[in-house]
Amino acid sequence: MAWPHETVCRDWNNVVFSDESSFWAWTPIKRAWSAHGNPVIQRSIKHPIKVHVWGCFNSRGFGTLCVFTDNLNAQKMLKLYQRGLLVSAKHWFKSTRDHWILQEDNDPKHRSRLCTEWKTANGVNVLDWPSQSPDTNPIENVWSLMKYKLRGKRILKLKTLVRRIREIWRSLPVSYAAKLVESMPRRCEAIIANGGDWTHY
C-alpha cells in the first residue's frame, strides 16, 4: 500500500480534516450486568430524534460546525463547503502564502462532478485519501468523544440536541485538535506495520 509511505512524512499542519456524522437524541448505554437467568430489559425509542453534522478541524483548532436534518447530496455539500469549510480555512490561514489542503473521504458526494468543479474553481486542493479507512481520519475520534458525552442523556427536543452538540463542539480545546494532528504520522506507521489492515486508531 503506497499511500501511508507517501504521506507519513508530510506536513499535516496545513491539512483541514473534515467529515460528516449523525447524532441521536438518546443513545442508551448498551453494556449491562445481570444475575444468571435474569433477563436484561433496556428501554429504547422507536424513532429517536436524529441530526446530521459536518465539521472540520486543523492543528489550529476546530472550525465551523454545520448541523442539518435533511439528507446530504451534492448541492447540500456545496453549502457546507461555503458555510463551514471556507469560513474555517480563512480563519486559520489568513495569509495568501499559507497553502492548505482539504482531507475528506471518497464519498460519492465529495467526488461528484458538481463538488469537484466547485473545489477547482475555488482553489481547494484535496488530499489523496485511501478507500475504506475510517480509522485513519482523526475526526472519527472527535465524533466518538462527542457521542460519548451525549451517551445516556435523554433529550426530547431537536433544539436541545442541536444546542448540546454545539456546546460540546465549542468546548473542544485547541490542544486536542493539535494532538490529533500530531498522531497522523503514527497512524500512517500503524497502517504500514499492519500491512494496510485495521489499526487501533
Side-chain angles (χ1 to χ4, degrees), residues 9 53 55 81 127 135 144 152 174 180:
C9 294
V53 302
Y81 287 148
L127 180 68
D135 54 337
S144 295
V174 175
L180 289 173

Side-chain angles (χ1 to χ4, degrees), residues 35-146:
H36 180 71
N38 293 336
V40 177
I41 300 175
Q42 287 188 311
R43 296 182 182 275
S44 63
I45 298 176
K46 189 172 183 180
H47 300 291
I49 299 170
K50 176 183 177 182
V51 297
H52 311 290
V53 302
W54 177 95
C56 64
F57 78 94
N58 177 262
S59 60
R60 296 164 174 83
F62 293 89
T64 300
L65 184 72
C66 299
V67 183
F68 53 98
T69 56
D70 49 336
N71 293 329
L72 186 59
N73 54 28
Q75 289 78 12
K76 180 72 176 181
M77 197 69 234
L78 289 187
K79 294 181 180 179
L80 299 181
Y81 287 148
Q82 294 165 344
R83 291 169 43 207
L85 176 62
L86 290 187
V87 172
S88 302
K90 287 179 180 178
H91 174 71
W92 293 323
F93 305 96
K94 297 179 181 178
S95 172
T96 55
R97 293 173 296 179
D98 294 332
H99 299 290
W100 59 277
I101 186 167
L102 171 65
Q103 178 281 326
E104 59 183 2
D105 60 30
N106 296 296
D107 187 290
K109 294 182 289 294
H110 302 155
R111 304 305 181 196
S112 67
R113 180 177 178 180
L114 184 64
C115 289
T116 300
E117 291 178 350
W118 182 91
K119 283 179 281 191
T120 300
N122 287 272
V124 177
N125 296 315
V126 180
L127 180 68
D128 288 335
W129 201 251
S131 300
Q132 299 179 338
S133 57
D135 54 337
T136 310
N137 189 349
I139 203 170
E140 295 295 340
N141 299 84
V142 180
W143 300 143
S144 295
L145 175 62
M146 294 177 65

